[in-house]
Amino acid sequence: MAAEPLLSVRDLSVSFGAVDAVRGLSFDVYDGDVLALVGESGAGKSLTARALLGMAPRGATVSGSVRSRTTSGGADELVGARADGLWGRRVALVPQDALSALSPVHPVGDQLAAAVRSVQRLSRRDARARAALALERVGVPAARSRAYPHELSGGMRQRAVIAMATVNEPELIVADEPTTALDPDLRDQVLHVLTEQRKAAGAALVLVTHDLDAVRAHAGRVLVMYAGGHVESGPVDRVFARPRAPYTAGLLASLPPATGRVRRLPAMAGAPPAPGALPPGCAFAPRCPLAEDRCRTERPVPRPVDGREVSCHRWDAVPESAADLFLEHV
């Protein structure tokens, strides 16, 4: 990894009035890095990703620091700044719903050509040629560039937005649940296309996903979130092989085994707290069998443990067989 991160995030918080939806996240993204944000629905993953791009929803207050490295060796502070200058060559978004992201009244190729011309000084003809080539690279026939979004399948639409995100070779791609509405085969295909195009562009990737198998296959590092906060982060192989936070262990235990005898899958008791009703101390304490008095009164902060960072007071009490530690069998 480079000495200086491409993106440096410190104490990032996103609030809606008195409700804190993202709480004090800090992490770095390096050149060529693939960082996955994972956690249950409502953990704040997508909101974090949008805040990085200056796209937090109306009414949200973003605080903390998001610094983007510049070509001159300095850094731009993105929190509170206009995001216009980021788009195109520096950062790009692969959205969750391609049909909503694409204009319904313009052919896909024209939209892609417009994205090219927003960054590169090309004629309309050259931009259309570049757009057709970008579509072919993601597996969409050039002839389909004249199609409108509703005329394409879900998989082709998602490939089209990947082409749009990578056509100008950005430094950073943020993919917000890019395979949510696709069946398993299409999910694998789209993630493969995204990975290949990211490599071709030489970009870093922040991948928001529920799919832990996809994280294992495509990400180098993972950040596990719960109730808007940090739980555990580090190299995927290290975190997945030996989780040090009970919540991480619970997520991994819910995965069906890839091979061997099918077992009844365990499930964590309870449900995540509402953002406006977080318990004092550790947000996971009401669901955690290792919780003690300190957990219920003192919020844990990230600490270095075994090559990763863990926000848990009881990390050293999590056994290797953590799947059976606190899970109720269903």
Side-chain angles (χ1 to χ4, degrees):
M1 291 185 177
E4 293 296 327
L6 177 65
L7 198 71
S8 181
V9 180
R10 294 293 178 269
D11 200 28
L12 178 67
S13 296
V14 183
S15 60
F16 296 87
V19 176
D20 295 325
V22 175
R23 303 178 296 134
L25 286 182
S26 296
F27 58 89
D28 294 320
V29 181
Y30 293 86
D31 292 307
D33 203 6
V34 180
L35 173 67
L37 305 183
V38 305
E40 291 172 274
S41 295
K45 307 182 299 299
S46 291
L47 190 55
T48 298
R50 296 276 173 163
L52 298 181
L53 302 177
M55 295 177 61
R58 186 184 301 274
T61 299
V62 181
S63 61
S65 174
V66 178
R67 295 182 65 81
S68 173
R69 193 186 67 217
T70 64
T71 54
S72 62
D76 290 334
E77 176 59 62
L78 306 185
V79 172
R82 289 179 58 86
D84 301 3
L86 286 174
W87 295 98
R89 192 175 297 281
R90 293 187 66 186
V91 301
L93 173 69
V94 177
Q96 183 175 135
D97 184 358
L99 189 59
S100 297
L102 294 168
S103 167
V105 297
H106 297 95
V108 169
D110 287 359
Q111 296 182 58
L112 196 50
V116 172
R117 296 191 75 205
S118 71
V119 172
Q120 305 179 45
R121 295 190 175 210
L122 295 176
S123 67
R124 293 182 186 276
R125 175 181 294 180
D126 289 344
R128 288 195 183 101
R130 183 73 59 87
L133 180 59
L135 287 171
E136 286 185 328
R137 285 174 176 165
V138 298
V140 178
R144 301 296 284 159
S145 66
R146 296 187 292 273
Y148 291 86
H150 70 273
E151 296 177 319
L152 299 177
S153 68
M156 279 197 173
R157 283 195 296 268
Q158 205 63 30
R159 288 167 183 261
V161 295
I162 290 172
M164 190 173 294
T166 57
V167 68
N168 291 313
E169 299 183 344
E171 297 172 341
L172 173 67
I173 301 168
V174 176
D176 183 11
E177 296 279 7
T179 60
T180 295
L182 305 179
D183 63 48
D185 287 341
L186 280 177
R187 284 202 298 268
D188 291 342
Q189 293 173 25
V190 166
L191 284 171
H192 176 74
V193 167
L194 177 59
T195 298
E196 292 303 308
Q197 293 305 302
R198 179 199 69 78
K199 291 178 180 177
L205 172 65
V206 174
L207 174 64
V208 176
T209 184
H210 288 89
D211 189 340
L212 297 181
D213 286 330
V215 173
R216 195 192 305 272
H218 297 282
R221 295 189 299 126
V222 62
L223 192 162
V224 181
M225 296 179 62
Y226 183 80
H230 173 278
V231 172
E232 187 167 2
S233 59
V236 170
D237 55 356
R238 189 179 294 269
V239 171
F240 278 34
R242 180 71 165 88
R244 288 293 191 174
Y247 177 68
T248 308
L251 286 181
L252 294 171
S254 68
L255 286 175
T259 59
R261 181 183 175 187
V262 177
R263 57 177 171 81
R264 298 181 69 190
L265 295 179
M268 285 182 281
L278 296 178
C282 175
F284 187 61
R287 304 174 69 187
C288 180
L290 291 179
E292 55 187 15
D293 289 345
R294 181 186 180 190
C295 304
R296 299 183 182 92
T297 58
E298 181 182 336
R299 181 184 173 187
V301 297
R303 68 177 75 190
V305 174
D306 188 27
R308 89 285 302 277
E309 287 198 323
V310 182
S311 297
C312 179
H313 297 308
R314 303 295 314 280
W315 66 267
D316 55 349
V318 178
E320 288 192 39
S321 58
D324 298 324
L325 178 64
F326 58 93
L327 303 177
E328 294 182 349
H329 291 275
V330 295

Coordinates of all heavy atoms in Angstrom, one line a residue, residues 61 140 146 222 226 258 298:
T61 N -26.6 15.9 8.5 CA -25.5 16.7 8.9 C -24.3 15.8 9.0 O -24.3 14.8 9.7 CB -25.7 17.4 10.3 OG1 -26.8 18.2 10.2 CG2 -24.5 18.2 10.7
V140 N -21.8 -5.8 -22.8 CA -23.0 -5.3 -23.5 C -22.7 -5.1 -24.9 O -21.8 -4.2 -25.2 CB -23.5 -4.1 -22.8 CG1 -24.8 -3.5 -23.5 CG2 -23.8 -4.3 -21.3
R146 N -27.9 1.7 -28.4 CA -29.1 2.5 -28.8 C -30.3 2.2 -28.0 O -31.4 2.8 -28.2 CB -29.3 2.3 -30.3 CG -28.1 2.8 -31.2 CD -28.5 2.7 -32.7 NE -28.6 1.3 -33.1 CZ -27.6 0.6 -33.5 NH1 -26.4 1.1 -33.5 NH2 -27.7 -0.7 -33.9
V222 N -12.0 -5.6 5.1 CA -13.5 -5.5 5.4 C -13.6 -4.6 6.7 O -12.8 -4.6 7.5 CB -14.0 -6.9 5.7 CG1 -13.3 -7.6 6.9 CG2 -15.6 -6.8 5.9
Y226 N -22.1 -1.9 12.9 CA -23.3 -2.2 13.6 C -23.9 -0.9 14.2 O -23.1 -0.2 14.9 CB -23.0 -3.2 14.7 CG -24.3 -3.7 15.5 CD1 -25.1 -4.6 15.0 CD2 -24.6 -3.1 16.7 CE1 -26.2 -5.1 15.6 CE2 -25.7 -3.5 17.4 CZ -26.5 -4.5 16.9 OH -27.7 -4.9 17.5
A258 N -20.2 -24.2 2.7 CA -20.0 -24.4 1.2 C -20.1 -25.8 0.8 O -20.5 -26.2 -0.2 CB -18.7 -23.7 0.8
E298 N -20.1 1.7 28.9 CA -18.9 2.3 28.3 C -18.8 1.9 26.8 O -18.6 0.7 26.6 CB -17.6 2.0 29.0 CG -16.4 2.6 28.5 CD -15.1 2.2 29.2 OE1 -15.2 1.8 30.4 OE2 -14.0 2.2 28.6

